Amino acid sequence: MGRLTTHVLDTALGKPARGLKIELWAHGAAPELISTHETNEDGRVDSPILDGAAFATGRYELRFFAGDYLRKTCQSLPDPLFLDIIPIRFGIAEADGHYHVPLLLSPFSYSTYRGS
């Protein structure tokens, strides 16, 4: 069985991003909200975002609510923030694969990749 996981690291503070809201959306005929999560003290979600019978091939989007998180970190930031909601659209082609979509975040940039 496949699964989808994530990990968010705050590269500006050099630590995991705790308390960051994440939404998972399916992108079929119309976008559909599948689930909402929040990162733990390690910057991870406590269980896979998608797994078991719900895990299927298709197009998905993770929405990382970076702006809300950054405001909580008490850094000196401009208003409005440069980054707010970060959408990452990706495809799942392997029904039995592990798709890990990490986010490396700072107030002015982000990067992602398919991890392991």
Side-chain angles (χ1 to χ4, degrees), residues 13 18 21 24 44 47 51 68 72-73 78 85 97 101-102 112:
L13 296 178
R18 179 182 187 176
K21 177 182 168 183
L24 174 64
R44 299 177 187 274
S47 59
D51 67 350
D68 293 342
K72 291 189 287 186
T73 64
I85 298 171
V101 182
T112 190

Side-chain angles (χ1 to χ4, degrees), residues 3-111:
R3 66 182 185 207
L4 172 64
T5 57
T6 191
H7 188 197
V8 184
L9 298 173
D10 184 329
T11 59
L13 296 178
K15 63 181 189 178
R18 179 182 187 176
L20 192 145
K21 177 182 168 183
I22 303 167
E23 292 179 346
L24 174 64
W25 290 76
H27 280 270
E32 176 188 353
L33 177 63
I34 296 176
S35 58
T36 302
H37 308 270
E38 186 172 300
T39 56
N40 61 23
E41 63 280 345
D42 193 36
R44 299 177 187 274
V45 174
D46 289 329
S47 59
I49 294 173
L50 192 62
D51 67 350
F55 189 88
T57 60
R59 291 180 178 84
Y60 295 89
E61 179 177 306
L62 286 170
R63 293 183 186 172
F64 295 87
F65 287 73
D68 293 342
Y69 163 79
L70 290 167
R71 285 181 194 91
K72 291 189 287 186
T73 64
C74 299
Q75 298 177 64
S76 178
L77 299 171
D79 185 26
L81 294 174
F82 180 66
L83 295 174
D84 191 12
I85 298 171
I86 299 172
I88 299 176
R89 285 197 186 175
F90 58 95
I92 292 178
E94 304 162 12
D96 60 348
H98 178 194
Y99 285 76
H100 184 67
V101 182
L103 181 71
L104 305 176
L105 171 67
S106 83
F108 301 101
S109 69
Y110 68 91
S111 64

